Amino acid sequence: MVRVLVYLGIILLGFFISPFLAGNKGYLYIAIGDYQVETSIVFAVIALVIFYSLLQLAEFVIVWVLNLILGSRLLPEKWRKKAARKHTLMGALALAEEDWAAAEKAMVKGADKGEIPALNLLAAARAAQHQNNITARDEYLAKAELEPLATKAVSTTRTRYLLQQGELVLAREELDKLNPTSKSKAPVLKLAVDLYKAQQDWQALKLILPIASKKQIMADDAFKKLTFETNIALLKNAASTNEQELEKCWHWLSRGERKQAEYIAEYAIGLNRYDQKEHAIKLLQKQLKAAPSKAIFAALSQVLTPSDVEAKKQLLALEANFEDNVDYQICLAKLYHQNHDYHNAKIWWQKACYLQDDINNLHALADVQEHQGELNRALQTRRNAAKL
């Protein structure tokens, strides 16, 4: 609408000034060297308009011819790029459908003239991994690694595939190149946690777990469970090494962790191994008064011996407090069993089996019954265990 009004204004303006121009054509004189031109202003303006139009037309023709020549020479390259985009799209769709063979084939075709060849190669490597085609997978990763920006991504991917393949040593070598730290990305830290756990490298896992927790790559329950497993394994390994390593590992735990019954029990068992029974018993008895637990009772049954009469008396004195605690009954049953006091052992095993049906407890009771010559009862007890 505005354009129409502009055109209408130009026409009306020309209509009003045309009589003036017709009566006053003006005069234009141009002298260039020996050449002289005399004309009216109206003709000069018309000539300039025509000249500019011809100049624009010539420019259009020249540009069109150049585009035609260049386009015809680069046309095959355009076709290849277009085909590469098509293959990449088909490969992506095949990946979504988990058609690994088709995805690998399409992604490899799209990599030659694709816009991001490394992306195609990584996708092809993933498809080859799912087909257990290790040789092709490694070839694709090696080609993708030639792209400088894709080096870390390729190394991360290779580590993950080696871990899935079970090649833990090679996976660790690749992971060490990434050097997992607090500055590493979440996928690298997740790989580190999985690989250290698979290798049972508890010390490395102990160092990486706080970082993994801070980056929130694990659920709280999973983090607590893995932390517990790591600390217990570290205490056991340290106890099997020497007393210095045990003390070092114990003080590596946080103050809150050193108050947990499971760690105290494991530490006490380690102390008992290095002739620190009195210290171990004191720790266990102190924890028993504060918060009795299955781990503490199990540790007591390992640490106490027939010669620890006073400690055993103190434990028996707690019968009224723990008459409904199956772990307490099992602890005393094991102590009597170890001392070959099968009469008392049978009493406590029976109490434990009454409180809780357990295969191990029933078999232990059957063993005691056999020692006392109660073969029929022992047979019946084992049948009850078999039913469980």
Side-chain angles (χ1 to χ4, degrees), residues 256-332:
E257 289 174 335
R258 289 199 294 269
K259 294 180 180 179
Q260 294 185 28
E262 292 81 5
Y263 301 144
I264 293 173
E266 201 63 45
Y267 178 54
I269 293 172
L271 289 175
N272 182 58
R273 178 179 295 184
Y274 295 106
D275 299 328
Q276 294 194 43
K277 178 182 287 188
E278 291 184 5
H279 186 198
I281 293 175
K282 287 180 180 179
L283 277 176
L284 293 173
Q285 289 178 335
K286 181 180 178 181
Q287 184 64 26
L288 188 62
K289 293 178 181 178
S293 66
K294 181 178 182 180
I296 297 299
F297 286 123
L300 281 169
S301 66
Q302 295 184 52
V303 172
L304 295 180
T305 60
S307 60
D308 301 314
V309 179
E310 188 63 30
K312 190 181 293 185
K313 286 182 178 179
Q314 294 180 12
L315 191 61
L316 286 169
L318 300 174
E319 181 181 0
N321 297 331
F322 301 122
E323 60 181 356
D324 295 329
N325 190 316
V326 66
D327 298 318
Y328 174 77
Q329 320 296 330
I330 293 172
C331 176
L332 286 173

Coordinates of all heavy atoms in Angstrom, one line a residue, residues 256-332:
G256 N 33.4 -39.2 61.8 CA 32.1 -39.8 61.8 C 32.2 -41.3 61.5 O 31.5 -42.2 62.0
E257 N 33.0 -41.6 60.5 CA 33.2 -43.0 60.0 C 33.8 -43.9 61.1 O 33.5 -45.1 61.3 CB 34.0 -43.1 58.8 CG 33.3 -42.6 57.5 CD 34.2 -42.5 56.3 OE1 35.4 -42.4 56.5 OE2 33.6 -42.5 55.2
R258 N 34.7 -43.3 61.9 CA 35.4 -44.1 63.0 C 34.4 -44.4 64.1 O 34.8 -45.1 65.1 CB 36.6 -43.3 63.5 CG 37.7 -43.3 62.5 CD 39.1 -43.0 63.2 NE 39.1 -41.6 63.8 CZ 39.5 -40.5 63.1 NH1 39.9 -40.6 61.9 NH2 39.5 -39.4 63.7
K259 N 33.2 -43.9 64.1 CA 32.2 -44.2 65.1 C 31.2 -45.2 64.6 O 30.3 -45.7 65.4 CB 31.5 -42.9 65.5 CG 32.3 -41.9 66.2 CD 31.5 -40.6 66.6 CE 32.4 -39.6 67.3 NZ 31.6 -38.4 67.6
Q260 N 31.3 -45.7 63.4 CA 30.4 -46.6 62.8 C 30.8 -48.0 63.3 O 32.0 -48.4 63.2 CB 30.3 -46.5 61.3 CG 29.7 -45.2 60.8 CD 29.6 -45.2 59.3 OE1 29.4 -46.2 58.7 NE2 29.6 -44.0 58.7
A261 N 29.8 -48.8 63.6 CA 30.0 -50.1 64.2 C 30.8 -51.1 63.2 O 31.7 -51.8 63.6 CB 28.7 -50.8 64.6
E262 N 30.4 -51.0 62.0 CA 31.1 -51.9 61.0 C 32.6 -51.7 60.9 O 33.4 -52.6 60.8 CB 30.4 -51.8 59.6 CG 29.0 -52.3 59.5 CD 28.0 -51.3 60.1 OE1 28.4 -50.1 60.4 OE2 26.8 -51.6 60.1
Y263 N 33.0 -50.4 60.9 CA 34.4 -50.1 60.8 C 35.1 -50.4 62.1 O 36.3 -50.9 62.1 CB 34.6 -48.6 60.4 CG 33.9 -48.2 59.1 CD1 33.3 -47.0 59.0 CD2 33.9 -49.1 58.0 CE1 32.7 -46.6 57.8 CE2 33.3 -48.7 56.9 CZ 32.7 -47.5 56.7 OH 32.1 -47.1 55.6
I264 N 34.5 -50.2 63.2 CA 35.1 -50.5 64.5 C 35.3 -52.0 64.6 O 36.4 -52.5 65.1 CB 34.2 -50.0 65.7 CG1 34.1 -48.5 65.7 CG2 34.7 -50.6 67.0 CD1 33.1 -47.9 66.7
A265 N 34.3 -52.8 64.1 CA 34.4 -54.3 64.2 C 35.6 -54.7 63.3 O 36.4 -55.6 63.8 CB 33.1 -54.9 63.7
E266 N 35.7 -54.2 62.1 CA 36.8 -54.6 61.2 C 38.2 -54.2 61.8 O 39.2 -54.9 61.7 CB 36.6 -54.0 59.9 CG 37.3 -54.7 58.7 CD 36.9 -56.1 58.5 OE1 35.7 -56.4 58.5 OE2 37.8 -57.0 58.4
Y267 N 38.2 -53.0 62.4 CA 39.5 -52.5 63.0 C 39.9 -53.3 64.2 O 41.1 -53.7 64.3 CB 39.3 -51.0 63.4 CG 40.4 -50.4 64.1 CD1 41.7 -50.4 63.5 CD2 40.3 -49.8 65.3 CE1 42.8 -49.8 64.1 CE2 41.4 -49.2 66.0 CZ 42.6 -49.2 65.3 OH 43.7 -48.6 66.0
A268 N 38.9 -53.7 65.0 CA 39.2 -54.6 66.1 C 39.7 -55.9 65.7 O 40.6 -56.5 66.4 CB 37.9 -54.7 67.0
I269 N 39.2 -56.5 64.7 CA 39.6 -57.8 64.2 C 41.1 -57.7 63.7 O 41.9 -58.5 63.9 CB 38.7 -58.3 63.0 CG1 37.3 -58.6 63.6 CG2 39.4 -59.5 62.4 CD1 36.3 -59.0 62.5
G270 N 41.4 -56.5 63.1 CA 42.8 -56.3 62.6 C 43.7 -56.1 63.8 O 44.9 -56.6 63.8
L271 N 43.3 -55.4 64.8 CA 44.1 -55.2 66.1 C 44.4 -56.6 66.7 O 45.5 -56.8 67.2 CB 43.4 -54.3 67.0 CG 43.3 -52.8 66.6 CD1 42.5 -52.0 67.7 CD2 44.7 -52.2 66.5
N272 N 43.4 -57.4 66.8 CA 43.6 -58.7 67.4 C 44.6 -59.5 66.6 O 45.3 -60.3 67.3 CB 42.2 -59.4 67.4 CG 42.3 -60.8 68.0 OD1 42.7 -60.9 69.2 ND2 41.9 -61.8 67.3
R273 N 44.7 -59.3 65.4 CA 45.7 -60.1 64.6 C 47.1 -59.7 65.0 O 48.1 -60.5 64.9 CB 45.5 -59.8 63.1 CG 46.5 -60.5 62.2 CD 46.2 -60.2 60.7 NE 44.9 -60.8 60.3 CZ 44.4 -60.8 59.0 NH1 45.1 -60.2 58.1 NH2 43.3 -61.3 58.8
Y274 N 47.3 -58.4 65.4 CA 48.7 -58.0 65.8 C 48.8 -57.8 67.3 O 49.4 -56.9 67.8 CB 48.9 -56.6 65.1 CG 48.9 -56.8 63.6 CD1 47.9 -56.3 62.8 CD2 50.0 -57.4 62.9 CE1 47.9 -56.4 61.4 CE2 50.0 -57.5 61.5 CZ 48.9 -57.1 60.8 OH 48.9 -57.2 59.4
D275 N 48.3 -58.8 68.0 CA 48.5 -58.9 69.5 C 48.1 -57.7 70.2 O 48.7 -57.3 71.2 CB 50.0 -59.2 69.7 CG 50.5 -60.5 69.1 OD1 49.6 -61.4 69.0 OD2 51.6 -60.6 68.7
Q276 N 47.0 -57.1 69.8 CA 46.4 -56.0 70.6 C 44.9 -56.3 71.0 O 44.0 -55.6 70.8 CB 46.4 -54.7 69.8 CG 47.8 -54.2 69.5 CD 47.8 -52.7 69.0 OE1 47.0 -51.9 69.5 NE2 48.6 -52.5 68.0
K277 N 44.8 -57.6 71.5 CA 43.5 -58.1 71.9 C 42.8 -57.2 72.9 O 41.6 -57.0 72.8 CB 43.6 -59.5 72.4 CG 42.3 -60.1 72.8 CD 42.4 -61.5 73.3 CE 42.7 -62.5 72.2 NZ 42.7 -63.9 72.7
E278 N 43.5 -56.8 73.9 CA 42.9 -56.0 75.0 C 42.3 -54.7 74.4 O 41.1 -54.3 74.8 CB 43.9 -55.7 76.1 CG 44.4 -56.9 76.9 CD 45.3 -56.5 78.0 OE1 45.5 -55.3 78.2 OE2 45.8 -57.4 78.7
H279 N 43.0 -54.1 73.6 CA 42.5 -52.8 72.9 C 41.3 -53.2 72.1 O 40.3 -52.4 72.1 CB 43.6 -52.2 72.1 CG 43.2 -50.9 71.5 ND1 43.9 -50.3 70.5 CD2 42.2 -50.0 71.8 CE1 43.3 -49.1 70.2 NE2 42.3 -48.9 71.0
A280 N 41.4 -54.2 71.3 CA 40.3 -54.6 70.5 C 39.0 -54.9 71.3 O 37.9 -54.5 70.9 CB 40.7 -55.8 69.6
I281 N 39.2 -55.7 72.4 CA 38.0 -56.0 73.2 C 37.4 -54.8 73.9 O 36.2 -54.6 73.9 CB 38.4 -57.0 74.3 CG1 38.8 -58.4 73.7 CG2 37.3 -57.2 75.3 CD1 39.4 -59.4 74.7
K282 N 38.2 -53.8 74.3 CA 37.7 -52.6 74.9 C 36.9 -51.8 73.8 O 35.8 -51.3 74.2 CB 38.9 -51.8 75.4 CG 39.5 -52.3 76.7 CD 40.7 -51.4 77.1 CE 41.3 -51.9 78.4 NZ 42.4 -51.1 78.8
L283 N 37.4 -51.7 72.6 CA 36.7 -51.0 71.6 C 35.3 -51.7 71.3 O 34.3 -51.0 71.2 CB 37.5 -51.0 70.3 CG 38.6 -50.0 70.1 CD1 39.3 -50.2 68.8 CD2 38.0 -48.6 70.1
L284 N 35.3 -53.0 71.3 CA 34.1 -53.7 71.0 C 33.1 -53.6 72.1 O 31.9 -53.4 71.9 CB 34.4 -55.2 70.7 CG 35.1 -55.4 69.4 CD1 35.5 -56.9 69.3 CD2 34.3 -55.0 68.2
Q285 N 33.6 -53.7 73.4 CA 32.7 -53.6 74.5 C 32.1 -52.2 74.7 O 30.9 -52.0 75.0 CB 33.5 -54.0 75.8 CG 33.7 -55.4 75.9 CD 34.5 -55.8 77.2 OE1 35.3 -55.0 77.7 NE2 34.4 -57.0 77.6
K286 N 32.9 -51.2 74.4 CA 32.5 -49.8 74.4 C 31.4 -49.6 73.4 O 30.3 -49.0 73.7 CB 33.6 -48.9 74.1 CG 33.3 -47.4 74.2 CD 34.5 -46.5 73.9 CE 34.1 -45.0 73.9 NZ 35.3 -44.1 73.6
Q287 N 31.6 -50.1 72.2 CA 30.5 -49.9 71.1 C 29.3 -50.8 71.5 O 28.2 -50.4 71.1 CB 31.1 -50.4 69.8 CG 30.2 -50.2 68.6 CD 29.9 -48.7 68.3 OE1 30.6 -47.8 68.7 NE2 28.7 -48.5 67.7
L288 N 29.5 -51.9 72.2 CA 28.4 -52.8 72.5 C 27.5 -52.0 73.5 O 26.2 -52.1 73.4 CB 28.9 -54.0 73.2 CG 27.9 -55.1 73.4 CD1 27.2 -55.6 72.2 CD2 28.5 -56.3 74.2
K289 N 28.0 -51.2 74.4 CA 27.2 -50.5 75.3 C 26.5 -49.3 74.7 O 25.4 -48.9 75.0 CB 28.1 -50.0 76.5 CG 28.7 -51.1 77.4 CD 29.6 -50.5 78.4 CE 30.2 -51.6 79.3 NZ 31.1 -51.1 80.3
A290 N 27.2 -48.7 73.7 CA 26.7 -47.5 73.0 C 25.6 -47.9 72.0 O 24.5 -47.4 72.1 CB 27.8 -46.8 72.3
A291 N 25.9 -48.8 71.1 CA 25.0 -49.2 70.1 C 25.3 -50.6 69.6 O 26.1 -50.8 68.6 CB 25.0 -48.2 68.9
P292 N 24.7 -51.6 70.2 CA 25.0 -53.0 69.8 C 24.5 -53.3 68.4 O 23.5 -52.8 67.9 CB 24.2 -53.8 70.8 CG 23.2 -52.9 71.3 CD 23.7 -51.6 71.3
S293 N 25.3 -54.0 67.6 CA 24.9 -54.3 66.2 C 25.5 -55.7 65.8 O 26.3 -56.3 66.5 CB 25.5 -53.2 65.3 OG 26.9 -53.3 65.3
K294 N 25.0 -56.1 64.7 CA 25.4 -57.5 64.2 C 26.9 -57.5 64.0 O 27.6 -58.5 64.3 CB 24.7 -57.7 62.9 CG 25.0 -59.1 62.3 CD 24.2 -59.3 61.0 CE 24.5 -60.7 60.4 NZ 23.7 -60.9 59.1
A295 N 27.5 -56.4 63.5 CA 29.0 -56.4 63.2 C 29.8 -56.6 64.5 O 30.8 -57.3 64.5 CB 29.3 -55.1 62.5
I296 N 29.3 -55.9 65.5 CA 30.0 -56.0 66.8 C 30.0 -57.4 67.4 O 31.0 -57.9 67.9 CB 29.5 -54.9 67.8 CG1 29.7 -53.5 67.2 CG2 30.1 -55.1 69.2 CD1 31.1 -53.1 67.0
F297 N 28.8 -58.0 67.4 CA 28.7 -59.4 67.9 C 29.5 -60.3 67.1 O 30.1 -61.2 67.6 CB 27.2 -59.8 67.9 CG 26.4 -59.1 69.0 CD1 25.2 -58.4 68.7 CD2 26.7 -59.3 70.3 CE1 24.5 -57.8 69.7 CE2 26.0 -58.7 71.3 CZ 24.9 -58.0 71.0
A298 N 29.5 -60.1 65.8 CA 30.3 -61.0 64.9 C 31.8 -60.9 65.2 O 32.6 -61.8 65.2 CB 30.0 -60.7 63.4
A299 N 32.2 -59.6 65.4 CA 33.6 -59.4 65.8 C 34.0 -60.0 67.1 O 35.1 -60.6 67.3 CB 33.9 -57.9 65.7
L300 N 33.1 -59.9 68.1 CA 33.4 -60.5 69.4 C 33.6 -62.0 69.3 O 34.4 -62.6 70.0 CB 32.2 -60.1 70.4 CG 32.3 -58.7 71.0 CD1 30.9 -58.5 71.7 CD2 33.4 -58.6 71.9
S301 N 32.8 -62.6 68.5 CA 32.9 -64.1 68.3 C 34.2 -64.5 67.7 O 34.7 -65.6 67.8 CB 31.7 -64.6 67.5 OG 31.8 -64.1 66.2
Q302 N 34.9 -63.5 67.0 CA 36.2 -63.8 66.4 C 37.3 -63.5 67.3 O 38.4 -64.1 67.2 CB 36.3 -63.1 65.0 CG 35.3 -63.5 64.0 CD 35.6 -62.8 62.6 OE1 36.7 -62.7 62.1 NE2 34.5 -62.2 62.1
V303 N 37.1 -62.4 68.0 CA 38.2 -61.9 68.9 C 38.4 -62.7 70.2 O 39.5 -63.0 70.6 CB 38.0 -60.4 69.2 CG1 39.1 -59.9 70.2 CG2 38.1 -59.6 67.9
L304 N 37.2 -63.0 70.8 CA 37.3 -63.7 72.1 C 37.7 -65.1 72.0 O 37.3 -65.8 71.0 CB 35.9 -63.6 72.8 CG 35.4 -62.2 73.2 CD1 34.1 -62.3 73.9 CD2 36.4 -61.5 74.1
T305 N 38.4 -65.6 72.9 CA 38.9 -67.0 73.0 C 38.5 -67.6 74.3 O 38.1 -66.8 75.2 CB 40.4 -67.1 72.7 OG1 41.1 -66.3 73.8 CG2 40.8 -66.5 71.4
P306 N 38.7 -68.9 74.5 CA 38.3 -69.5 75.8 C 39.1 -68.9 77.0 O 38.6 -68.9 78.1 CB 38.7 -71.0 75.6 CG 38.5 -71.2 74.1 CD 39.0 -69.9 73.5
S307 N 40.3 -68.3 76.7 CA 41.0 -67.7 77.8 C 40.5 -66.4 78.2 O 40.8 -65.9 79.3 CB 42.5 -67.5 77.3 OG 42.6 -66.7 76.2
D308 N 39.6 -65.7 77.5 CA 39.0 -64.4 77.8 C 37.8 -64.6 78.7 O 36.7 -64.3 78.3 CB 38.7 -63.6 76.6 CG 39.9 -63.4 75.7 OD1 41.0 -63.0 76.2 OD2 39.8 -63.6 74.5
V309 N 38.0 -65.2 79.9 CA 36.9 -65.5 80.7 C 36.1 -64.3 81.2 O 34.9 -64.3 81.2 CB 37.4 -66.3 82.0 CG1 36.3 -66.7 82.9 CG2 38.2 -67.6 81.5
E310 N 36.8 -63.3 81.6 CA 36.2 -62.1 82.1 C 35.3 -61.4 81.1 O 34.2 -61.0 81.4 CB 37.2 -61.1 82.6 CG 36.7 -59.9 83.4 CD 35.9 -60.3 84.6 OE1 36.3 -61.3 85.3 OE2 35.0 -59.6 85.0
A311 N 35.8 -61.3 79.9 CA 35.1 -60.7 78.8 C 33.8 -61.5 78.5 O 32.7 -60.9 78.2 CB 35.9 -60.5 77.5
K312 N 34.0 -62.8 78.6 CA 32.8 -63.7 78.3 C 31.8 -63.5 79.4 O 30.5 -63.6 79.1 CB 33.3 -65.1 78.2 CG 32.2 -66.1 77.6 CD 32.7 -67.5 77.6 CE 33.7 -67.7 76.5 NZ 34.1 -69.1 76.3
K313 N 32.2 -63.4 80.6 CA 31.3 -63.2 81.7 C 30.5 -61.9 81.5 O 29.2 -61.8 81.8 CB 32.0 -63.1 83.1 CG 32.5 -64.5 83.5 CD 33.2 -64.3 84.9 CE 33.7 -65.7 85.4 NZ 34.3 -65.6 86.7
Q314 N 31.2 -60.8 81.1 CA 30.5 -59.6 80.9 C 29.5 -59.7 79.8 O 28.4 -59.1 79.8 CB 31.5 -58.5 80.6 CG 32.4 -58.1 81.7 CD 33.4 -57.1 81.3 OE1 33.3 -56.4 80.3 NE2 34.5 -56.9 82.2
L315 N 29.8 -60.5 78.8 CA 28.9 -60.7 77.7 C 27.7 -61.5 78.1 O 26.5 -61.2 77.7 CB 29.6 -61.4 76.5 CG 28.9 -61.5 75.2 CD1 28.6 -60.1 74.6 CD2 29.7 -62.3 74.2
L316 N 27.9 -62.5 79.0 CA 26.7 -63.3 79.5 C 25.8 -62.5 80.4 O 24.6 -62.8 80.5 CB 27.3 -64.5 80.2 CG 27.9 -65.7 79.4 CD1 28.6 -66.7 80.2 CD2 26.7 -66.4 78.6
A317 N 26.4 -61.5 81.0 CA 25.6 -60.7 81.9 C 24.6 -59.8 81.2 O 23.7 -59.3 81.8 CB 26.6 -59.8 82.8
L318 N 24.8 -59.7 79.9 CA 23.9 -58.9 79.1 C 22.7 -59.7 78.5 O 22.0 -59.2 77.7 CB 24.6 -58.2 78.0 CG 25.8 -57.3 78.4 CD1 26.6 -56.9 77.1 CD2 25.3 -56.1 79.1
E319 N 22.5 -60.9 79.0 CA 21.5 -61.8 78.4 C 20.1 -61.2 78.5 O 19.3 -61.3 77.6 CB 21.6 -63.2 79.1 CG 20.5 -64.1 78.5 CD 20.6 -65.5 79.2 OE1 21.4 -65.7 80.1 OE2 19.8 -66.4 78.8
A320 N 19.8 -60.6 79.7 CA 18.5 -60.1 79.9 C 18.2 -58.9 78.9 O 17.1 -58.7 78.5 CB 18.4 -59.6 81.4
N321 N 19.3 -58.2 78.6 CA 19.1 -57.0 77.7 C 18.9 -57.5 76.2 O 18.3 -56.8 75.4 CB 20.3 -56.1 77.8 CG 20.4 -55.5 79.2 OD1 19.4 -55.3 79.9 ND2 21.6 -55.2 79.5
F322 N 19.5 -58.6 75.9 CA 19.5 -59.1 74.5 C 18.9 -60.4 74.2 O 19.3 -61.2 73.4 CB 21.0 -59.1 73.9 CG 21.7 -57.8 74.0 CD1 22.9 -57.7 74.8 CD2 21.2 -56.7 73.4 CE1 23.6 -56.5 74.9 CE2 21.9 -55.5 73.5 CZ 23.1 -55.4 74.2
E323 N 17.9 -60.7 75.1 CA 17.3 -62.1 74.9 C 16.5 -62.2 73.6 O 16.3 -63.3 73.2 CB 16.3 -62.3 76.1 CG 15.2 -61.3 76.2 CD 14.3 -61.5 77.4 OE1 14.5 -62.6 78.1 OE2 13.4 -60.7 77.7
D324 N 16.1 -61.1 73.0 CA 15.4 -61.2 71.7 C 16.3 -60.8 70.5 O 15.9 -60.6 69.4 CB 14.2 -60.2 71.7 CG 13.2 -60.7 72.7 OD1 13.1 -61.9 72.9 OD2 12.4 -59.8 73.3
N325 N 17.6 -60.7 70.8 CA 18.6 -60.3 69.8 C 19.3 -61.5 69.2 O 20.1 -62.2 69.9 CB 19.6 -59.3 70.4 CG 20.5 -58.7 69.3 OD1 20.9 -59.3 68.4 ND2 20.7 -57.4 69.4
V326 N 18.9 -61.9 68.0 CA 19.5 -63.1 67.4 C 21.0 -63.1 67.2 O 21.7 -64.1 67.4 CB 18.8 -63.4 66.1 CG1 19.1 -62.3 65.0 CG2 19.2 -64.8 65.5
D327 N 21.5 -61.9 67.0 CA 23.0 -61.7 66.8 C 23.7 -62.0 68.1 O 24.8 -62.6 68.1 CB 23.3 -60.3 66.3 CG 22.7 -60.0 65.0 OD1 22.7 -60.9 64.1 OD2 22.2 -58.9 64.8
Y328 N 23.1 -61.7 69.2 CA 23.7 -61.9 70.5 C 23.7 -63.5 70.7 O 24.7 -64.0 71.2 CB 22.9 -61.2 71.6 CG 23.3 -61.6 73.0 CD1 24.4 -61.0 73.6 CD2 22.5 -62.4 73.8 CE1 24.8 -61.3 74.9 CE2 22.9 -62.7 75.1 CZ 24.0 -62.2 75.6 OH 24.4 -62.5 76.9
Q329 N 22.6 -64.1 70.4 CA 22.6 -65.6 70.6 C 23.6 -66.3 69.7 O 24.3 -67.2 70.2 CB 21.2 -66.1 70.2 CG 20.0 -65.3 70.7 CD 19.8 -65.2 72.2 OE1 20.2 -66.1 72.9 NE2 19.3 -64.0 72.6
I330 N 23.8 -65.8 68.5 CA 24.7 -66.4 67.6 C 26.1 -66.2 68.1 O 27.0 -67.1 68.0 CB 24.6 -65.8 66.2 CG1 23.2 -66.3 65.6 CG2 25.7 -66.3 65.3 CD1 22.9 -65.6 64.2
C331 N 26.4 -65.0 68.6 CA 27.7 -64.7 69.1 C 28.1 -65.7 70.3 O 29.2 -66.3 70.2 CB 27.8 -63.3 69.7 SG 29.3 -62.8 70.4
L332 N 27.2 -65.9 71.2 CA 27.5 -66.8 72.3 C 27.6 -68.3 71.8 O 28.4 -69.1 72.3 CB 26.5 -66.7 73.4 CG 26.6 -65.4 74.3 CD1 25.4 -65.3 75.2 CD2 27.8 -65.4 75.1

